Amino acid sequence: ERLNLTVLIKGSGYTVSKKGAVLREIEKKGEDYDATTLKEVLKQVVVEHPDNHDVTVTSEDRVPYKELITVMDLCLEHKLQGISVAGVDA
């Protein structure tokens, strides 16, 4: 069964979804993205679904490129090597 794990990077923070349902909304802390909380959420998903290694990372247009890199690095750190990068349909 496919997990369809997705991390959406928005101007306001991250949205983590699996199987098409929102798992967690992670708001920015001031001007900064909350990568620490994202790391905890990804860790929990990997514990619950150890056979899943796929994740789709999407971002809104105005999101800094470095945030995309940060999220991909966090995914790799948690053995989510099957990273797909997709655009967001406006």
Side-chain angles (χ1 to χ4, degrees):
E1 183 178 346
R2 290 191 48 81
L3 189 58
N4 292 338
L5 180 63
T6 304
V7 179
L8 168 61
I9 311 167
K10 303 178 294 187
S12 59
Y14 304 119
T15 300
V16 181
S17 305
K18 65 179 183 180
K19 297 182 184 175
V22 173
L23 183 64
R24 182 85 183 262
E25 292 278 357
I26 305 169
E27 296 295 320
K28 284 170 89 172
K29 290 185 171 182
E31 293 295 309
D32 298 324
Y33 284 86
D34 187 357
T36 303
T37 300
L38 177 61
K39 187 175 184 174
E40 291 167 10
V41 171
L42 292 175
K43 181 178 177 181
Q44 187 61 39
V45 170
V46 170
V47 166
E48 291 173 9
H49 306 277
D51 295 335
N52 179 71
H53 301 287
D54 297 328
V55 60
T56 301
V57 179
T58 61
S59 70
E60 292 179 343
D61 285 344
R62 294 175 301 284
V63 170
Y65 187 68
K66 69 180 176 101
E67 283 309 321
L68 189 63
I69 300 301
T70 298
V71 171
M72 290 192 298
D73 285 347
L74 287 174
C75 291
L76 290 172
E77 207 175 291
H78 289 91
K79 309 290 187 261
L80 296 166
Q81 297 101 332
I83 300 173
S84 303
V85 178
V88 175
D89 297 329

